[in-house]
Amino acid sequence: MHKVFGTKEDVEYTDREGAYLILVHDNQVGIIQTPKGFFLLGGGLENGESHIECIERECMEEAGCAVSVKGKICSAEAYCKHEIIGYFHPIQTYYIGELSSVVSTPSEKDHVFLWMEYDELKGKMYVDMQNWALEQCFKDADDK
């Protein structure tokens, strides 16, 4: 499943491909809290990384965690205007996975890893695409 957010205008956009992990355990979601708000673990691909390599690197940087990626859930993209980047086109792919172990101190000091009940978190992610991705994850779980 794929969803497009926003409307593409006739301007040049900065594309940014990213990969994100949805960690679910006992109806709780593993997320990152920053001063801006709540985010899924993950981020933008760097230096020719695969989606899995990106997720593994970002989880170490953001939460000091080793993870295992189990499978793709969905993807989304948005056309928006970012306060710093300008016209921005993030393209995000979301995967389900598990936390393997905490192995180090996160290098991103303003990031805090925490578990939140899905019902408490629903609709509160900083990025609308990530709210939608969580809905897809839990919808798929409810359908099984």
Side-chain angles (χ1 to χ4, degrees), residues 22-122:
I22 298 177
L23 293 172
V24 178
H25 181 71
D26 292 335
N27 210 45
Q28 291 190 321
V29 181
I31 58 161
I32 295 297
Q33 183 175 18
T34 75
K36 281 186 163 183
F38 301 122
F39 294 87
L40 295 175
L41 287 101
L45 275 64
E46 295 180 359
N47 305 320
E49 287 179 316
S50 70
H51 286 193
I52 305 304
E53 291 167 335
C54 173
I55 288 169
E56 290 171 345
R57 175 185 51 76
E58 289 281 353
C59 288
M60 289 299 285
E61 291 173 3
E62 295 175 338
C65 296
V67 295
S68 60
V69 179
K70 301 297 182 186
K72 180 180 171 182
I73 297 172
C74 59
S75 60
E77 61 188 295
Y79 292 97
C80 56
K81 192 164 185 184
H82 189 276
E83 64 271 7
I84 297 169
I85 298 169
Y87 288 96
F88 187 45
H89 179 224
I91 307 151
Q92 300 184 352
T93 304
Y94 306 100
Y95 295 85
I96 191 81
E98 295 176 354
L99 176 67
S100 298
S101 61
V102 176
V103 293
S104 68
T105 302
S107 60
E108 296 188 17
K109 301 300 181 200
D110 65 346
H111 287 51
V112 176
F113 176 75
L114 52 100
W115 291 96
M116 284 183 71
E117 292 288 332
Y118 173 63
D119 290 339
E120 181 183 345
L121 182 62
K122 188 175 180 178

